[in-house]
Amino acid sequence: MGLGRGEARRLRNIAVLRRVRDRIDREYARPLNLEALARGAHMSVGHLSREFRRVYGDAPYAYLMTRRIERAMMLLRRGDLSVTEVCFAVGFSSLGTFSTRFTELVGVPPSVYRRDHSDPRRPGRSTRRWA
């Protein structure tokens, strides 16, 4: 027994949304905008936003920001890049916007996160602990 037309359309829609999500995951550091994502998915901006939120729980822009901040957290933990270098490496074009979004999502500014979470055993960093 085959799928009904509605079910087949719903499954195609989910596949398209998965490709949009995968593109965001892959290209998070590039300039991405909703219009380009919607055009690539052959959807209107409004339809893409509504469907993406329905399937993934976040709007595409919020999902992109979360991916960028997650990657920034990893780079800051490494400890070998400055906050500014991390900002640009993950696709932000403004240090102020990066710091604001990071603080909103993580709860502390990126400089504090880097200080408190970077690995002291990284090359070029002292491994000496003070009592």
Side-chain angles (χ1 to χ4, degrees):
M1 188 156 158
L3 296 175
R5 251 185 271 185
E7 182 65 10
R9 188 174 336 148
R10 188 182 74 75
L11 292 175
R12 275 193 311 274
N13 195 36
I14 290 172
V16 168
L17 293 171
R18 187 177 307 120
R19 285 192 296 273
V20 170
R21 187 196 62 193
D22 290 347
R23 180 176 176 194
I24 292 170
D25 289 341
R26 218 178 25 258
E27 299 178 19
Y28 69 89
R30 291 184 175 171
L32 289 174
N33 64 56
L34 195 52
E35 290 80 15
L37 292 171
R39 200 171 33 255
H42 305 290
M43 293 181 175
S44 72
V45 169
H47 186 66
L48 174 63
S49 291
R50 282 187 303 278
E51 290 301 297
F52 195 95
R53 182 185 299 271
R54 183 182 62 77
V55 171
Y56 295 112
D58 269 330
Y61 182 77
Y63 184 84
L64 171 62
M65 289 299 108
T66 300
R67 294 292 81 70
R68 286 178 173 175
I69 297 302
E70 287 173 350
R71 178 68 175 160
M73 291 169 69
M74 190 276 302
L75 292 172
L76 291 168
R77 281 193 304 270
R78 269 190 7 200
D80 60 337
L81 297 175
S82 71
V83 170
T84 301
E85 290 169 323
V86 169
C87 165
F88 295 120
V90 299
F92 283 90
S93 58
S94 160
L95 183 58
T97 301
F98 169 67
S99 294
T100 298
R101 294 295 296 165
F102 191 97
T103 303
E104 287 172 357
L105 292 172
V106 179
V108 295
S111 56
V112 172
Y113 185 88
R114 182 178 187 268
R115 182 194 69 210
D116 293 348
H117 293 88
S118 64
D119 185 353
R121 296 166 297 190
R122 295 284 304 171
R125 296 184 59 108
S126 171
T127 56
R128 186 176 205 177
R129 296 276 190 203
W130 299 99

